[in-house]
Amino acid sequence: VKPLPEPSALVAHRPHTSQKVAQHPGMMAWQSGHASRFAAAVAILIAISVGVLHTAENFVYLRHLLRVPDKGLAQAASLQTENAFYYSYYNELVHAHSLREGLSQIIWDKRSEYPDVLNALRRFNVYQEVVLALQYRFLQACRLNFVDEWAFFRWHILVLNGMGHAALAMLSSEISGNPMAGIACFIVAFLNRFQISRLGNYGSSNLRELWGVPLLWMQTWCLWRLLLKPHVSGRRLLWWSFRALTFAFIVSWQFSPFVLLLQATAIYSVYLVCDYSTIRTVLESIINEYAIALAAAVLVHFGSPYLLTSPFLFQLIAFKVAMSVCVWNQHTKSHKSDGNVVANRTTFRAYSCWILRRLGHVAEGLIAVAVFLLIRKACASFATADTHVYEILCTKVSAINDLLPATLRLPRSRLPKCAEPSFNARLYLIMGVFNLIEKQSLEIYYFSSAGPAAALTCVLVILRCVMGSFCAVGKSLPEASSAVQASTPTEPVSSACKSTEGLRKRKGASSGKQVVSTAEKTASQSLEDHAGPSDEPALLFFVIQFLLLFALGALINRLRAVFGPPMMVLAACCFGPRLFPSKWMLRRHRWIVVSCLFLLHGAHVFWMASKLPCIRNSDGICQHLSDKTSNDGDLADLCDWINDSLEPTTPVLSSMNLAGSLRLFTALPLVVHPQFESENLRKRVQLGYELYHCGTEESFAQTMRKLHAEVVIFEYERCFFTPYLLDDKQKNCNSGRHAPEEQLCVKLHANSRHFRRIFTNGGYAVFRLQQAPSEARGATEPSPSQIGDALGSMGAWRDYIDECTKTQKDLCGARLLETAATWQQSMKRKNVATVLRKLADKHFPDDGMVAYYLGRHLDYDASKPERAMAYYKKAVQKLPNNPIILKEWIMFLEETVKDTASAIKLLKERKKGNRRDGIKAFLEIEGAGVGVFLCEAAVTAKNAPGLEALADKIWAKAVRLAPLSSCIQHNWQIIYGNTESYEKLYTPWYRVKMLIKGGVQHEVGPKNQPAIRFLGERQFRIVGNWTR
């Protein structure tokens, strides 16, 4: 009698490729015959619709950038730090004189880490920029470039993310067993949009994860399909797709190896820990595909050390070694006996084989861990590209410890040393997106039902797998024993407990052909019936991957984009028939159960739809239902001055964030850049960030020379006691030991010996390192009081004013007063601001912008309306069509000096324009800021006798141009009285309608002054037009 195969709950059964795999009863409700094809068609149609809607949705979020009057200003607002840094390679290749020149500038990059020469394709993830630039150049050569290069680039990001969400919708349908689940996935994702994605945030429009994450979802869908039917042969297209998407994911995002490490861990856990040995073959193939994709990525990255020393590569090697070592077959001799004896021994043998196999799994897991740690230890000395990631993660120990109850909290002395943030970690932790997940995000997950529904799905998957295992234990053994007793006792017995196969096979002595006894066929059929459907490993994989990604995202808030979308998928699947745990109930009452599940799913969808358009007024799409303002005008102004005044070969030291923007908007070589995956760069940054501290001028001048920098740029908004603590403690600013005047960003303004101020505006100050120290001041470092006195004196600024007047001409006065506003409001140094205003008033008496800034200061800050009136009048005379100045003038006349007659007179005069003098009628003025200006002018006209018709026209145009502005809301009751209610008309859905129509305005200006210089009258020399 041939021994029986082990129960599937104890020894995983791997059916032959040609065997029919058991299917979950819940799937049979719609996956049979024509119903299956119809359901698949519905799921695909919904997925395509979800992708299109997601693309259109994010286009609407970013549409306000089209309202910015200057393309350069729009890009300065949306392409910042690393976004600008990566886009600069695309821009550089698009605008290169020849393809060869453009590619050589990328492969021999002399601008990113001056004076070093880098291969940008090796160091950075910029292949997407290179490929798109080549596409655009080809279309340009064929005269098919119907959109500009910026729109072409943005649409590729939007469409790619739409494809990623289509893959999520397909995953929802397949995981749940409900073809309509893609609708629920889109709704719940819409409610949580800005908790799971940064695409709709206009300031983060070119992050690497925006390219990598949608590729991950498409790759996960392929992986799901491979695990769903691990023994189906063929599927070459699916394997190629998986390989290509994995390769593209690695190439497009520097953090991808860490995500793939968790993904591979999830698959290996299903195989090894959860005892689903049926997927061993496909797991080996997946590991091979990972290795091929990683090898290809290393090749195209020219042997990038970041990839060659990544933990993902170490993990793949560890898995291959462990699985190669642990392939063995344990043979147990048997002897002839009757069926009863074998039947009595069947249970013992099954459990014995199960114990041996599980011990083998433990050994395999220990070998994998040991090999991984050994490789990691061996490579520790030169695997330094990603050490900052481990430093960031280690600081989470302290953060988690602080969340524990006081009784469980460990003292600081017992925490690891790395729990105290290093300089590298502080660079990231200063930004909230690298801290623990925010409470607000968890609340949105809860109120939208995404969190509870996803948790329910996880429980259902685990419960279904556990119940399937118990059912197999309870049913397979009795049926197997009956099969043995019915077999022929005279057949020879030869048994083998195999850890990788649950079926016994024997070869005939004479023919050599495989012969399977009746008992084996019966037992095999019994095991096949009770082994559970083959989708359990795939389901467990997706759940475990989500849990691992959630743990990572909970530690680093920015990685919500990695676990958020899978959470939405699981939330959409909670009432899917595929997840129903009771197989017996599904078989007995299939249509009743499936109908109830579909009703519950429909109720869940309708409940979520009732929450649309947003959970709270400050979340989701509702945070986009108002006009935008950004202070990136200072950056655009800085870059415009650089491209006009500095030689393109001048090396510059700045912060990493600013360096990313400068690489795009200027031609300057830079000392540092924002991509931190290099030990050499991290050393440079720590050396250069002395600029934020309290070192001596002499020390900082030496640092500049060591970095080969000639110019340094300070950001006023960072001129405070910085948290970027250097390892060299002597150079750090300490609020208990240093005065604010000792900061380099402050004291260099006070007649520095080593540096000369060459530019300043409301956001930045630029200094040039002098070849030899100036003799105008002694070699001794001045005291804080001496620095303070010098800053408030005319002498500290006179030389700069003289140079500024000659080189910057009509722009100098406005920049000077924007600087004054920053010194008063941000730096809290009123005496410096007073000096700057006096100098501007003296040197630029006929400048309309200077007049406006001075009048506004006297009006708002000094409360001297009588003196302000003269400056306001001059500003209106010099700039008669500037909507911001006109708005300020009308409101000043009405609200401050109560001179309504003058305001009405102005309205009557400007009913018609004067083309000879270049003065436009109010209704003829177009451009940025016009909507808000007309909104205020309409109120004045409404209260003036005889101007009611003009008021209606002005108000109608204001509502058309700026329907979502706060001015419209504030003045609504004044215009309509009690006849209409703003709240009644402006419901959330009406606001969404206005958003879709393009009703959101975007004003770009300086940090501490109105945007009178940034309304489109003057184009800034940035973005591709800096070449002289």
Side-chain angles (χ1 to χ4, degrees), residues 11-72:
V11 178
H13 169 59
R14 188 199 320 180
H16 191 266
T17 303
S18 61
Q19 289 177 330
K20 181 180 179 181
V21 181
Q23 192 177 37
H24 191 267
M27 300 303 296
M28 299 177 188
W30 62 277
Q31 285 193 349
S32 58
H34 296 292
S36 174
R37 288 190 290 272
F38 176 76
V42 170
I44 293 172
L45 181 61
I46 290 175
I48 294 174
S49 302
V50 166
V52 172
L53 287 174
H54 185 266
T55 303
E57 176 194 349
N58 284 283
F59 171 75
V60 168
Y61 293 147
L62 302 175
R63 190 178 181 184
H64 58 86
L65 293 172
L66 301 177
R67 307 294 294 272
V68 178
D70 184 351
K71 172 187 171 184

Side-chain angles (χ1 to χ4, degrees), residues 254 364 449 706:
Q254 67 267 31
E364 182 176 337
S449 79
K706 186 175 181 180

Side-chain angles (χ1 to χ4, degrees), residues 598-836:
F598 270 82
L599 288 175
L600 289 172
H601 173 77
H604 185 214
V605 170
F606 279 110
W607 183 84
M608 290 190 297
S610 68
K611 298 288 185 179
L612 294 173
C614 47
I615 299 293
R616 295 184 299 205
N617 291 334
S618 59
D619 298 307
I621 194 175
C622 289
Q623 64 183 287
H624 285 270
L625 303 181
S626 60
D627 287 348
K628 308 288 184 185
T629 59
S630 58
N631 56 12
D632 302 295
D634 290 322
L635 174 61
D637 188 43
L638 169 68
C639 297
D640 178 78
W641 171 82
I642 287 174
N643 293 325
D644 185 64
S645 303
L646 288 185
E647 288 297 325
T649 57
T650 305
V652 170
L653 171 65
S654 68
S655 69
M656 293 192 304
N657 293 340
L658 179 58
S661 299
L662 292 179
R663 198 190 189 286
L664 170 61
F665 300 134
T666 73
L668 300 177
L670 306 160
V671 174
V672 296
H673 57 77
Q675 183 157 325
F676 215 45
E677 283 72 25
S678 167
E679 185 180 21
N680 178 56
L681 176 69
R682 292 195 289 271
K683 291 178 179 178
R684 280 170 170 260
V685 170
Q686 181 160 188
L687 193 62
Y689 269 38
E690 182 183 345
L691 65 92
Y692 289 123
H693 286 278
C694 299
T696 64
E697 287 187 30
E698 178 70 30
S699 172
F700 185 55
Q702 292 176 1
T703 299
M704 291 275 289
R705 294 187 180 98
K706 186 175 181 180
L707 292 172
H708 303 276
E710 297 178 13
V711 169
V712 59
I713 303 178
F714 291 96
E715 298 166 71
Y716 282 129
E717 65 178 357
R718 294 191 176 194
C719 193
F720 55 86
F721 286 112
T722 177
Y724 302 135
L725 300 181
L726 306 175
D727 292 340
D728 186 353
K729 306 299 182 184
Q730 295 181 350
K731 296 180 180 179
N732 285 333
C733 278
N734 187 325
S735 58
R737 186 162 56 94
H738 295 95
E741 291 82 1
E742 294 180 90
Q743 298 173 95
L744 284 167
C745 58
V746 175
K747 66 183 178 182
L748 291 191
H749 288 81
N751 297 323
S752 171
R753 292 184 67 242
H754 296 272
F755 296 88
R756 180 170 59 89
R757 180 176 46 239
I758 57 177
F759 175 82
T760 181
N761 68 3
Y764 305 93
V766 184
F767 293 83
R768 184 186 290 276
L769 177 66
Q770 301 191 102
Q771 295 296 325
S774 173
E775 300 299 333
R777 200 194 72 192
T780 306
E781 283 283 318
S783 66
S785 60
Q786 292 174 327
I787 295 172
D789 293 340
L791 287 173
S793 67
M794 293 283 187
W797 298 90
R798 187 174 291 113
D799 292 343
Y800 171 71
I801 296 297
D802 293 340
E803 181 182 354
C804 176
T805 304
K806 296 177 183 178
T807 58
Q808 301 179 35
K809 299 180 181 179
D810 58 334
L811 295 174
C812 180
R815 287 169 174 166
L816 200 63
L817 287 183
E818 288 162 7
T819 304
T822 296
W823 277 93
Q824 177 162 336
Q825 299 177 30
S826 299
M827 310 280 284
K828 308 301 180 185
R829 295 182 181 275
K830 187 176 179 180
N831 60 332
V832 179
T834 301
V835 168
L836 294 177

Side-chain angles (χ1 to χ4, degrees), residues 33 42 48 75 78 106 129 207 232 251 255 264 266 325 375 377 398 400 574 635 662 689 762 881 894 914 1022:
V42 170
I48 294 174
Q75 295 197 11
S78 58
I106 294 174
E129 278 77 15
L207 296 174
V232 176
V251 168
F255 199 74
V325 170
I375 298 175
K377 182 69 175 178
S398 177
I400 295 173
C574 59
L635 174 61
L662 292 179
Y689 269 38
N881 299 320
E894 272 204 301
N914 187 340
I1022 60 178

Side-chain angles (χ1 to χ4, degrees), residues 233-254:
S233 59
R235 302 191 293 178
R236 181 175 301 177
L237 178 61
L238 190 60
W239 280 108
W240 271 101
S241 299
F242 174 74
R243 183 185 305 138
L245 289 168
T246 304
F247 164 76
F249 180 52
I250 296 172
V251 168
S252 62
W253 188 21
Q254 67 267 31

